[in-house]
Amino acid sequence: MVRSASKRTRRHGVHSMAETDEVTVGVIGLGAMGLGMGLSLVKAGFTVTGYDPADGARRRAEAEGIAPLASAAAVFGVADVIVLSLPTAQHVETVIAEATEAGWLAEGIAPKVVIDTSTSEAAVSRRLSATLDAHGHGFLDAPVSGGPSGAASGQLSVMLGGDPRWVAQGMPALKAMAARIIHVGPSGSGNVAKLVNNMLVASHMVTTVEALRLAQASGVEPEDALRVINAATGRSALSEIHFPTWVLPRSFNSGFSTGLMRKDLRLARALAAEVGIATPMADRAAALWDEANSGLSDGDDFMLMGDPAVDRLTEKEKP
């Protein structure tokens, strides 16, 4: 529960959450990321409810102070702000359709704002934003970076797209979940930024492990090569954080799957095709990430791609 001395007021046609006496946030999708975000919201003092189709996820959420409900539509019925943490744009569309059918996003209902933290599709976000806005509700595309640990500690980075008036309504909840919030532009902009970022991550993984394999074969251990790379211009988040944390210790448990990386690469390349931009490096990376070449299943942690002890960079089949 977030309290303020001010009473509920309207600003630019929506309720300003900074001035409400009480705000309920609903989280739909209580997996590793959704549960972590819900926990950060509870710690920040919000009343938090949620839904996940898995019984175990609902029980874990309840143990953390998140009140579970029987359906996604039911969350829309009680929450002022709804946070989505779902696998695909299609799941997001389904949840919004269910809430609309139940009447919770109708015109005249107290304004709600939906914060979609999924790595989704810009066209879908733009369409949903326009539809909800026409009925007096907001939709923000807000894909995140930082993994389950960042979600649970409120240290995520958010790439945010949406109308400034809805951004203002969602900002207190976003601040509870994230350390960095970058408002990129109108609806869909957050999705574009996230896909561009993850396209680079996929490529950085390939180039970093390629460099470390070369160093090792030439007599320099990966740990020593990384010390040089991270003090020079070849460094990246992969070399500075991911490889020392999950690859060299051989834990391979970052919480982000190979399947999700493949999905993001696919969406980035589809976006490039849509706007007519060539992405030869991303195309090459996608071929190497393919299961036929990498040997990794969708359920494997994506850090396994960086194992210097395994050569996954020889393309066995052309895309």
Side-chain angles (χ1 to χ4, degrees):
M1 183 179 296
V2 173
R3 295 191 179 276
S4 165
S6 304
K7 296 297 183 182
R8 185 179 295 267
T9 63
R10 286 185 178 270
R11 179 181 297 169
H12 302 301
V14 298
H15 295 302
S16 172
M17 278 183 17
E19 298 176 352
T20 57
D21 292 323
E22 181 175 321
V23 173
T24 297
V25 182
V27 181
I28 299 175
L30 296 168
M33 291 298 295
L35 179 61
M37 288 185 280
L39 179 58
S40 290
L41 288 160
V42 170
K43 289 176 181 176
F46 287 94
T47 298
V48 184
T49 187
Y51 171 74
D52 193 285
D55 291 340
R58 293 196 301 273
R59 287 195 296 270
R60 287 189 293 273
E62 188 171 21
E64 298 290 354
I66 299 169
L69 294 178
S71 69
V75 174
F76 280 81
V78 300
D80 306 290
V81 176
I82 299 92
V83 177
L84 306 182
S85 181
L86 301 169
T88 68
Q90 289 68 42
H91 290 93
V92 172
E93 288 186 296
T94 297
V95 164
I96 296 295
E98 290 174 355
T100 300
E101 185 176 350
W104 297 120
L105 292 172
E107 191 170 352
I109 297 291
K112 300 178 185 291
V113 61
V114 179
I115 302 174
D116 179 21
T117 68
S118 317
T119 301
S120 189
E121 301 171 32
V124 172
S125 293
R126 289 166 183 153
R127 184 168 64 251
L128 291 174
S129 176
T131 300
L132 266 64
D133 187 72
H135 291 88
H137 306 285
F139 184 95
L140 304 175
D141 49 296
V144 298
S145 177
S149 61
S153 62
Q155 295 296 303
L156 292 170
S157 293
V158 175
M159 292 141 262
L160 184 61
D163 188 294
R165 61 190 179 127
W166 299 116
V167 169
Q169 180 161 337
M171 190 57 70
L174 286 166
K175 286 182 176 179
M177 299 185 292
R180 298 188 67 194
I181 302 164
I182 305 171
H183 186 201
V184 187
S187 296
S189 301
N191 296 141
V192 172
K194 178 62 183 291
L195 292 177
V196 168
N197 180 78
N198 280 17
M199 183 177 75
L200 285 172
V201 170
S203 299
H204 289 169
M205 173 66 83
V206 169
T207 55
T208 303
V209 71
E210 184 174 89
L212 295 184
R213 283 180 57 79
L214 175 59
Q216 190 171 44
S218 304
V220 177
E221 289 302 311
E223 294 89 341
D224 296 320
L226 274 180
R227 288 195 296 118
V228 173
I229 291 167
N230 289 334
T233 54
R235 67 187 181 275
S236 68
L238 272 292
S239 67
E240 290 184 315
I241 300 171
H242 294 69
F243 273 77
T245 304
W246 294 296
V247 175
L248 297 187
R250 303 189 64 77
S251 58
F252 305 116
N253 59 350
S254 71
F256 190 77
S257 72
T258 297
L260 289 175
M261 178 53 73
R262 287 173 179 148
K263 182 200 82 169
D264 292 352
L265 259 177
R266 182 178 69 254
L267 291 176
R269 294 170 70 212
L271 180 64
E274 179 184 330
V275 299
I277 295 295
T279 55
M281 289 299 295
D283 295 344
R284 174 64 175 161
L288 293 171
W289 276 93
D290 186 84
E291 185 171 358
N293 295 313
S294 67
L296 297 174
S297 68
D298 283 351
D300 288 329
D301 193 283
F302 91 119
M303 284 288 105
L304 283 163
M305 187 68 167
D307 188 353
V310 180
D311 183 6
R312 304 187 191 277
L313 303 184
T314 300
E315 190 176 341
K316 301 175 182 66
E317 295 181 6
K318 295 298 180 182

